[in-house]
Amino acid sequence: MAALHAGITRDEAFALLTDHNKDEFHIEHGETVEQTMRYFAREFDPENEEFWGIVGLLHDVDWEEHDDDPVNHTVYAAELIAAAGGTPELIRAIQSHNCDLNDTLPKPEAQMEKVLYATEELTGLIGAAVVMRPSKSVMDFNVKSLKKKFKDKRFAAGVNRDVIRAGAEMLGWKLDELFDRTIRAMQSFAPDRDTFVPAE
């Protein structure tokens, strides 16, 4: 795999995220997707783990300020990231996860982009499900529980199930495999976390 360059450090990326996001939920979502991406990078592209992580951290950097314009989500992000020194490859990877709403944006092609597309919404669904559990922990969460929440369209209604299905197909994985891998990814970095922040 070729080396990928973000143009900014993880610390700079986090500063950019917190400059444009004040809601704890949005910041935690960025960190959750960052760590999920790092988990998969260690399997598929370990040389570029840092890049994968920064993609995850910044994938929704513009959402809090522009959630009224979902079509141009990541278009605003491109301006912010470029101004901070981010590379075109970083911007492209981030923009690929909004290609369904804006057909001028690149479609996921690299494994990293497919993983972001497939897991970004799913981590939100898992986080929402975990908040409802007595343990409030991802450590005792499983695929069976996730499938129930996935099928209940009233639960976390803002989570796009079609994107998750399409992401699994992109990766060539069964839905259960995507569920299992993503749960294990989240368990790998949150063993001591008591709770995920609920959406307001």
Side-chain angles (χ1 to χ4, degrees):
M1 296 264 185
L4 298 169
H5 301 285
I8 56 176
T9 66
R10 195 271 174 193
D11 287 347
E12 289 167 341
F14 185 75
L16 184 63
L17 178 68
T18 53
D19 280 348
H20 295 277
N21 292 268
K22 304 307 176 187
D23 187 324
E24 187 181 354
F25 175 79
H26 293 144
I27 295 168
E28 184 179 280
H29 176 62
E31 292 176 307
T32 297
V33 178
E34 173 195 10
Q35 293 301 326
T36 300
M37 291 294 287
R38 286 180 176 274
Y39 174 90
F40 284 107
R42 290 192 290 272
E43 178 180 352
F44 295 113
D45 188 14
E47 180 185 353
N48 290 309
E49 180 183 336
E50 187 78 355
F51 185 92
W52 284 52
I54 291 172
V55 167
L57 187 64
L58 291 180
H59 78 282
D60 277 352
V61 66
D62 62 357
W63 183 253
E64 188 173 306
E65 294 175 339
H66 299 287
D67 61 358
D68 59 341
D69 187 10
V71 171
N72 287 309
H73 170 43
T74 74
V75 175
Y76 299 108
E79 298 169 2
L80 300 176
I81 294 166
T87 60
E89 59 204 300
L90 175 64
I91 292 167
R92 188 216 133 80
I94 287 168
Q95 289 193 318
S96 69
H97 90 278
N98 198 41
C99 64
D100 286 345
L101 289 181
N102 186 334
D103 61 12
T104 68
L105 297 175
K107 294 193 179 336
E109 293 177 359
Q111 184 79 352
M112 168 197 51
E113 294 167 349
K114 293 175 183 178
V115 168
L116 176 66
Y117 184 93
T119 62
E120 187 260 335
E121 293 269 320
L122 185 54
T123 61
L125 180 62
I126 293 169
V130 164
V131 167
M132 304 298 293
R133 293 173 69 77
S135 68
K136 304 233 184 308
S137 172
V138 74
M139 299 311 291
D140 61 359
F141 193 57
N142 57 40
V143 171
K144 183 178 178 182
S145 298
L146 179 54
K147 286 171 79 169
K148 285 182 184 175
K149 296 300 187 186
F150 184 83
K151 288 175 183 175
D152 180 0
K153 293 181 181 176
R154 294 168 301 174
F155 180 79
V159 171
N160 190 325
R161 271 73 167 169
D162 290 337
V163 165
I164 295 169
R165 289 189 192 94
E169 189 174 337
M170 261 181 215
L171 287 163
W173 299 349
K174 299 288 188 187
L175 202 53
D176 280 13
E177 181 181 0
L178 176 62
F179 288 175
D180 180 60
R181 282 172 171 261
T182 307
I183 290 169
R184 283 191 281 120
M186 292 175 71
Q187 288 171 339
S188 76
F189 63 83
D192 301 319
R193 180 180 287 174
D194 293 327
T195 185
F196 287 83
V197 179
E200 303 246 336

